[in-house]
Amino acid sequence: MAEEVEMIPVDAAEPPKGASYREWRAPVQQVREHVKGFLPYLEQYDMKLVLETHGDHGTGKILGEICSLVGSDRVLINYDTANAVFYGALDNEALLADFNGCRDEIGYMHIKEKLGGRKEWKCKTDKSGIRVCVRWA
């Protein structure tokens, strides 16, 4: 019989019982080490890895730091405008500054018109329900 594992929502606000906040949140240095482990495969298969603004890494500033620490043009940012507002707590002015601060590391973008308050997940879509995704050249 398989061991039962407690599933923790990615966006959970508190660490699971028995884990410290520091253990639960992946620091930038730790993320860098994990991402660096992918580099040989990215080289071998001529691929790129994009890290999306999400959760604890919800701003371009944080992901730009990770990309700089990794030091490879194969690791870029997938800048999601709604996630930067939702997770990164950015208002419109801060969003523009955050975007401009990491634009050289952006490989892809998810552009959504976020509606409602900062922690309200509601995005506008076109008539088909499709959100726009853009490759940053």
Side-chain angles (χ1 to χ4, degrees), residues 1-2 4 13-14 28 47-48 53 58 73 75 86 88 95 103 111 120 122 124 126 137:
M1 185 158 151
E4 191 171 313
E14 299 295 324
V28 168
M47 296 178 74
K48 293 190 180 202
T53 50
D73 61 356
V75 179
F86 189 81
L95 180 69
R103 65 185 303 152
I111 301 172
E120 182 181 357
K122 185 177 178 184
K124 191 174 187 177
D126 68 8

Side-chain angles (χ1 to χ4, degrees), residues 18-92:
S20 72
Y21 187 82
R22 185 177 186 95
E23 293 168 330
W24 182 58
R25 299 292 189 184
V28 168
Q29 306 291 355
Q30 184 180 5
V31 174
R32 174 200 65 189
E33 290 307 312
H34 289 295
V35 171
K36 278 186 146 187
F38 286 104
L39 291 179
Y41 302 103
L42 297 174
E43 291 286 339
Q44 180 180 352
Y45 296 105
D46 192 27
M47 296 178 74
K48 293 190 180 202
L49 173 69
V50 291
L51 308 173
E52 184 170 351
T53 50
H54 200 280
D56 291 335
H57 308 101
T59 66
K61 180 177 181 180
I62 295 169
L63 291 180
E65 182 181 350
I66 293 169
C67 288
S68 292
L69 289 169
V70 170
S72 171
D73 61 356
R74 294 195 177 273
V75 179
L76 300 165
I77 296 171
N78 176 14
Y79 198 93
D80 186 312
T81 56
N83 285 355
V85 172
F86 189 81
Y87 297 105
L90 302 177
D91 60 21
N92 286 342

Side-chain angles (χ1 to χ4, degrees), residues 71-137:
S72 171
D73 61 356
R74 294 195 177 273
V75 179
L76 300 165
I77 296 171
N78 176 14
Y79 198 93
D80 186 312
T81 56
N83 285 355
V85 172
F86 189 81
Y87 297 105
L90 302 177
D91 60 21
N92 286 342
E93 189 174 314
L95 180 69
L96 183 58
D98 186 59
F99 172 83
N100 283 326
C102 69
R103 65 185 303 152
D104 291 340
E105 289 87 25
I106 294 175
Y108 288 89
M109 288 188 68
H110 291 171
I111 301 172
K112 302 179 207 121
E113 184 177 348
K114 185 176 170 326
L115 307 171
R118 185 185 150 263
K119 280 298 191 180
E120 182 181 357
W121 190 252
K122 185 177 178 184
C123 294
K124 191 174 187 177
T125 59
D126 68 8
K127 290 179 184 177
S128 68
I130 296 173
R131 294 183 189 141
V132 179
C133 294
V134 176
R135 182 172 187 269
W136 189 263

